[in-house]
Amino acid sequence: MPMIDRALPAARILTRTIVTAAMLIGIAAMPRALAGEVPKFAVDSSWPKPLPNNWIMGQVGGISTDAQGHIWVFQRPRSLTDDEKAASLTPPRTKCCVPAPPVLEFDSDGNLLRSWGGPGEGYQWFGNEHGIEVDDRGFVWLTGNAADDSQILKFTQDGKFVLQIGKIAPPKGSNDTTQLGRPAEVTVDKDANEVYIADGYGNRRVIVFDATSGAYKRHWGAYGKPPNDDKQAPYDPKAPVSQQFGNPVHCVKVANDGLVYVCDRTNNRIQVFKKDGTFVKEWFYEKNTLANGAVWDVVIWPDPKQTFLLSADGANNEIRVLKRDDGTVVGSFGRNGRGAGQFHWIHAMAVDSKGNLYTGEVDTGKRVQKFKLTSDALR
């Protein structure tokens, strides 16, 4: 209660008391400080807009955003069933549909801006399209995970070929420096001009190359140790923790402070390293998950401190919000299903500078979704 000056007239005392009480009630009713809120989202079921040219999208291997806030999707035309692509058959079986090109660029409203991809001169296209990354210089990096996809490709945003690292051929193992092994994802460290590769479905490592020349720099396995390709027992949550990455090594991301985050998918963990491969720490999630693993992708939250990580779990079909400093789960959303905001094998994610989240699904999911940021989590 406020202190009362007994020399004041009774009317003024009453007025001051009422005003002070109203202020206290108002303060109690106000929401807590908004800065630093946990990211929360609402699905935008109208995104993206229908594709032109009678096109249809297949499995979405990868998704990325660029400096303009555009969304880049890497999808698998060959994953479509004959029923889905019936208009492309000879003779056509139905009015719809025709496979879209592998690389699709959308604006934030869901309009298709550009499309390209497939075999061309000077490079070897993939047997199965997988990951995409658009770096800060605007180059588009692509990966594939078919049996002999031992290469990554670099293009301009118009689809002009720039660089190939590795080649289509059987992989040579997790310590070979010339070939990859069904690489899953790349990320580019603009300051060092280095490309980090989560390698992958065949190999068990992170490997780093010069982003311009493609020259080999370094590689490492789990805990920063040399990787090996010895046969591993199936994942068992009761067994001792694996000292090697499982397959696939499915994502790699580099934060502004130099920490490197790696998805060891089937071992249900994220391992954290320094850029030189020095092991820092690890976190486990849903350790009892046996079906395809619980850590499929990670994106770094775009606030100034990069406070959070978002982690996609394609087995349990949810997205977890993690504190980046200690890996604590502070939120989650999603469940298995095909309705708006639900997931079936959520495979990849990307976030733009405004905190909008974009997701891609494989298996029979075959779609992208947009989730608008609804909390004040960017300060």
Side-chain angles (χ1 to χ4, degrees):
M1 290 291 294
M3 295 183 62
I4 297 176
D5 185 347
R6 299 187 182 278
L8 291 174
R12 291 183 62 187
I13 293 172
L14 178 61
T15 300
R16 177 176 291 183
T17 303
I18 292 171
V19 170
T20 304
M23 290 175 62
L24 291 171
I25 293 171
I27 291 171
M30 288 174 62
R32 299 285 183 179
L34 295 177
E37 279 192 357
V38 172
K40 296 179 181 179
F41 305 89
V43 65
D44 180 355
S45 59
S46 66
W47 197 97
K49 295 179 180 178
L51 294 174
N53 307 318
N54 210 19
W55 285 345
I56 187 172
M57 194 182 302
Q59 296 175 359
V60 177
I63 191 165
S64 181
T65 56
D66 66 17
Q68 287 72 46
H70 295 170
I71 300 88
W72 292 76
V73 173
F74 197 31
Q75 63 95 25
R76 300 169 178 169
R78 288 164 291 188
S79 69
L80 293 165
T81 65
D82 282 352
D83 180 64
E84 291 169 323
K85 62 181 181 181
S88 69
L89 302 179
T90 306
R93 287 171 38 178
T94 62
K95 293 191 297 183
C96 190
C97 295
V98 175
V103 178
L104 304 171
E105 178 192 3
F106 297 90
D107 65 19
S108 60
D109 293 325
N111 299 298
L112 183 67
L113 304 177
R114 193 160 24 191
S115 61
W116 50 267
E121 188 172 348
Y123 61 88
Q124 296 172 301
W125 193 250
F126 308 100
N128 194 51
E129 295 84 358
H130 196 276
I132 185 169
E133 174 76 5
V134 183
D135 69 24
D136 289 326
R137 294 180 173 89
F139 291 109
V140 181
W141 297 81
L142 305 175
T143 74
N145 71 327
D148 287 346
D149 282 343
S150 301
Q151 85 284 18
I152 64 171
L153 300 176
K154 177 183 179 182
F155 294 89
T156 68
Q157 292 191 3
D158 289 324
K160 181 181 178 181
F161 170 65
V162 177
L163 178 68
Q164 177 170 324
I165 301 175
K167 63 182 180 180
I168 290 184
K172 297 181 179 180
S174 293
N175 289 294
D176 181 76
T177 61
T178 61
Q179 285 282 83
L180 302 172
R182 305 174 66 195
E185 184 181 88
V186 308
T187 192
V188 177
D189 176 6
K190 65 176 181 179
D191 296 329
N193 193 40
E194 293 179 335
V195 56
Y196 288 69
I197 303 168
D199 187 37
Y201 280 78
N203 290 335
R204 297 175 183 153
R205 65 180 177 182
V206 173
I207 188 168
V208 185
F209 295 89
D210 184 277
T212 300
S213 68
Y216 166 79
K217 292 294 191 72
R218 59 193 176 277
H219 72 275
W220 65 86
Y223 298 103
K225 300 176 182 178
N228 72 57
D229 298 308
D230 296 344
K231 185 175 181 179
Q232 296 186 13
Y235 173 77
D236 179 353
K238 299 178 182 178
V241 172
S242 176
Q243 297 302 298
Q244 293 287 329
F245 287 135
N247 294 118
V249 185
H250 206 247
C251 86
V252 59
K253 295 294 192 302
V254 180
N256 291 339
D257 59 10
L259 292 178
V260 180
Y261 298 84
V262 179
C263 298
D264 188 6
R265 191 171 107 178
T266 54
N267 285 321
N268 299 327
R269 64 185 176 186
I270 295 171
Q271 289 204 331
V272 188
F273 303 88
K274 297 179 181 179
K275 290 182 181 181
D276 63 1
T278 301
F279 175 74
V280 178
K281 53 191 170 183
E282 66 181 346
W283 308 313
F284 292 84
Y285 300 97
E286 299 295 339
K287 289 188 70 173
N288 290 326
T289 300
L290 302 176
N292 294 315
V295 182
W296 291 44
D297 199 10
V298 162
V299 294
I300 300 173
W301 191 243
D303 70 315
K305 295 183 180 180
Q306 299 188 317
T307 307
F308 302 102
L309 301 173
L310 304 182
S311 178
D313 180 342
N316 297 293
N317 284 294
E318 65 179 10
I319 295 173
R320 288 181 286 272
V321 183
L322 315 176
K323 290 176 62 178
R324 190 169 71 89
D325 58 355
D326 62 8
T328 302
V329 178
V330 292
S332 66
F333 62 97
R335 53 150 289 175
N336 195 16
R338 290 180 171 81
Q342 300 174 343
F343 305 111
H344 180 72
W345 282 33
I346 176 173
H347 189 257
M349 300 184 300
V351 65
D352 65 20
S353 62
K354 297 179 180 179
N356 297 308
L357 180 68
Y358 301 87
T359 63
E361 297 167 47
V362 293
D363 193 51
T364 59
K366 299 180 182 177
R367 65 173 176 175
V368 291
Q369 295 191 80
K370 177 180 181 177
F371 295 81
K372 292 182 178 180
L373 179 66
T374 60
S375 61
D376 185 10
L378 288 177
R379 298 188 190 183

